[in-house]
Amino acid sequence: MEPDFRRAMGWLHTWAGVLLGSVLFAIFWMGTLSVFDIEIDQWMKPATRLPPAAQTLALERFRPSLNEAIAARAAFWNVEPPNDRQSVASVHYRTKTGFVSHDIDPVSGRTLPDAGTLGASGFIFPFHYSLHLRIMNLGTWLVGLASMAMLVLCVSGVIIHRKIFAEFFTFRPSKKPRRLLLDLHNLSGVLGLPFHIMLTFSGLVILGATFFPASINALYPNPRGYFYEANGLSFLNVKPGQPGAPVVSLDETFARAQAVWGNGSPETVLVATPGTTTGRIAFFRDRTQQVVMDRDVVAFSSTTGELVSHPPAPRAIIRTQRFLSGLHLIHFHHWVLRWLYFMLGLGSCLLIASGFLFWQASRRTKQANTFGFRLVEGLSAGSITGIMLATLAFFISNRLLPPGAHAFGMGRAALEIGCFYLVWVGAFLHGWLRPRRVWIEQSAAISAFSALAAMLNWITTGDHPLHSLANRYLWPVAGMDMLLLVGSALAFLTARKLARKQPGKAVGKTV
Amino acid sequence: MSTTCLFYLPLCLWLFIAFALLALTQFNHRRACGMTDLPPSRTRLIRLMAGVMLLFALVISIAHESSGFGFLLWVGLLSLCACAVALLLGWYPRLLAPLARLMAKPST
């Protein structure tokens, strides 16, 4: 290969990584945690830790919540029955004043007390694809830019790797830190390459309508038309009706949906514009036993119970898109694959972190006191160990804040998020103010925060790891606590090793 | 749990052996195991065998799971098992010495 070309790719790889590494790490970190979003939700909402019900709750038991939605003139109301990842049901509806969400006891049908948290599915998962920057959709565009950069980094990384096959299995823990970091970067990059490319590309495909709207704009009068057609939601394309109309029996309508499907159970039941003359009841068939996220939706009129639509099977191109969406969103229930995704996601985080650290280790001798180096050093600390600390602060605040907490004009859920950002900003500042000790101190803080989070779960709920392990329905909580404790131990060992090697000296040389 | 033991663990072991065979055709890793280099014809044969083993794992995964799950499982386990071989070669290469010896046996 031409040396100039390889050098150019090396330059591209270095600077694309340095500039967007922080965003990429945030995306991959939050994406990795999102693999277990429902399980983290259970940890953060102790009231939802319930054994699964022996019998399925009839849909009509959710009628009081539906009536509330009708009274509030909700745009939609939906219920998600319990499944093998989540033993409680949940109802959601959107009114003019906001989004309402309740968890429902699967046995009694009573509404569980509000946990006062967004949990992982309300905060961590949206952060993964929007960075919670909603102004002008900035976060989603930034995620798109970083994803494109990730693909460029993968390709340029392969090009600049001089011995990709000769060093395919090379990992030399006894070598000097700089070489070790490069080995780690190469190993996590090359061996995880299929995962990095597959997940990054499928992520871009999922948000393709945002990034590449030209074809949709050319074919549809507005993007909503595309959205309805592509997702089998054409039944929503109706004019607003008059209020005051009844909603037919949900259970009887469901029996008719089952007759259409032949068999199957719903993963979501949606009532669009409930209580109006053009209202619709739609049943989304459970598709958790396959990768492809093809929506099989049967829709009925909510006032007459008449069948409105049952779209045909999607064409090959849409099916391909849904395969890619499915493999990214892990909509399916497959525990081995879920854990594989989690471990490979951590591998992606390791890839980005080792790239950052290698950049610093290569320049520390000559540029340690330059502004640019100090800037990247603080940036990398804040974006690697900092976001871990912030996430742990989010968990700790969840266990420490009392129910109904309110301060600075913010509710409990907002306070948790406030803690996240406060600790994250603090970690960046710490990185810039104490560059020599930042990795040691933040690793030690991660260790302490992780152990504290697990401990607080025990103190506030009584569910210590042994108790959680002994009860099958508490395994998600046990898994979370175990990972926190293992993370705590690993962070402690890292901090100790860093501190022992060269106390008082810059850490990049000692990693 | 029993399915995990009967299918996923043997599959991991199978992929691990395939990658270990591939790694142990490289001189650096053979040296780390205390072995000498293999003759080129033996190297080619073993690499071919390891490649067939990897493909066979894909077929088995798809046959056991559906095509979608089987493919994703195979891709994910490829990365993890290759990583396990690399880490073992980095920290405890001697553990792979018996396999390295076996690969050279018929010609010595």
Side-chain angles (χ1 to χ4, degrees), chain A residues 69-367:
Chain A
I70 293 170
R73 295 196 167 195
F76 74 86
W77 172 90
N78 71 31
V79 55
E80 290 169 18
N83 55 53
D84 65 345
R85 285 185 71 200
Q86 178 176 287
S87 57
V88 296
S90 55
V91 293
H92 316 271
Y93 56 90
R94 197 180 66 217
T95 65
K96 281 177 185 167
T97 52
F99 191 76
V100 182
S101 188
H102 293 301
D103 293 313
I104 308 286
D105 187 311
V107 177
S108 65
R110 70 184 166 88
T111 302
L112 295 169
D114 181 23
T117 180
L118 290 181
S121 52
F123 178 69
I124 289 176
F125 177 54
F127 194 106
H128 167 62
Y129 62 83
S130 73
L131 306 174
H132 283 290
L133 293 172
R134 301 200 192 284
I135 306 164
M136 295 165 64
N137 229 0
L138 191 65
T140 308
W141 278 95
L142 205 52
V143 169
L145 179 70
S147 304
M148 289 299 290
M150 183 69 185
L151 288 179
V152 169
L153 285 164
C154 287
V155 174
S156 57
V158 170
I159 292 168
I160 62 175
H161 197 322
R162 290 175 186 277
K163 300 170 182 171
I164 196 162
F165 292 112
E167 293 189 352
F168 197 82
F169 297 101
T170 300
F171 172 61
R172 292 160 288 190
S174 53
K175 291 274 180 180
K176 286 183 177 172
R178 195 179 139 193
R179 186 68 237 182
L180 176 60
L181 281 170
L182 189 59
D183 276 355
L184 269 178
H185 188 64
N186 288 342
L187 201 66
S188 51
V190 173
L191 299 184
L193 194 65
F195 179 80
H196 308 315
I197 290 181
M198 212 163 65
L199 269 285
T200 309
F201 180 72
S202 57
L204 279 168
V205 168
I206 291 170
L207 296 174
T210 305
F211 304 139
F212 310 108
S215 57
I216 294 164
N217 292 341
L219 290 170
Y220 295 87
N222 62 60
R224 189 177 287 183
Y226 158 76
F227 179 75
Y228 286 159
E229 190 177 325
N231 292 292
L233 303 174
S234 54
F235 62 88
L236 290 174
N237 210 1
V238 288
K239 288 179 181 170
Q242 296 299 315
V247 176
V248 294
S249 164
L250 296 173
D251 288 310
E252 283 174 21
T253 320
F254 173 52
R256 298 181 61 201
Q258 272 189 316
V260 174
W261 284 334
N263 205 344
S265 56
E267 63 179 5
T268 305
V269 180
L270 168 78
V271 184
T273 59
T276 68
T277 49
T278 53
R280 300 281 184 263
I281 304 177
F283 296 90
F284 292 71
R285 193 173 185 174
D286 182 281
R287 290 300 205 194
T288 52
Q289 299 307 315
Q290 61 181 42
V291 179
V292 183
M293 275 182 71
D294 60 343
R295 295 173 187 274
D296 188 350
V297 193
V298 191
F300 302 88
S301 161
S302 67
T303 51
T304 63
E306 176 193 351
L307 179 68
V308 175
S309 72
H310 181 216
R315 289 184 205 164
I317 187 72
I318 288 287
R319 209 174 149 73
T320 307
Q321 195 263 0
R322 287 179 188 171
F323 177 77
L324 291 170
S325 310
L327 78 82
H328 190 104
L329 295 170
I330 329 177
H331 184 71
F332 47 81
H333 293 186
H334 192 300
W335 286 109
V336 175
L337 268 177
R338 198 165 286 279
W339 275 102
L340 267 181
Y341 269 72
F342 182 75
M343 286 187 274
L344 292 168
L346 288 180
S348 302
C349 293
L350 176 67
L351 169 74
I352 300 162
S354 57
F356 252 137
L357 291 172
F358 176 70
W359 186 91
Q360 288 169 47
S362 312
R363 287 162 180 77
R364 191 176 295 278
T365 318
K366 290 181 181 173
Q367 303 174 8

Side-chain angles (χ1 to χ4, degrees), chain A residues 45-77:
Chain A
K45 300 176 182 177
T48 65
R49 301 175 189 174
L50 297 171
Q55 282 189 327
T56 317
L57 215 56
L59 289 173
E60 275 303 310
R61 294 288 294 275
F62 300 104
R63 177 68 69 164
S65 166
L66 175 59
N67 289 339
E68 280 173 27
I70 293 170
R73 295 196 167 195
F76 74 86
W77 172 90

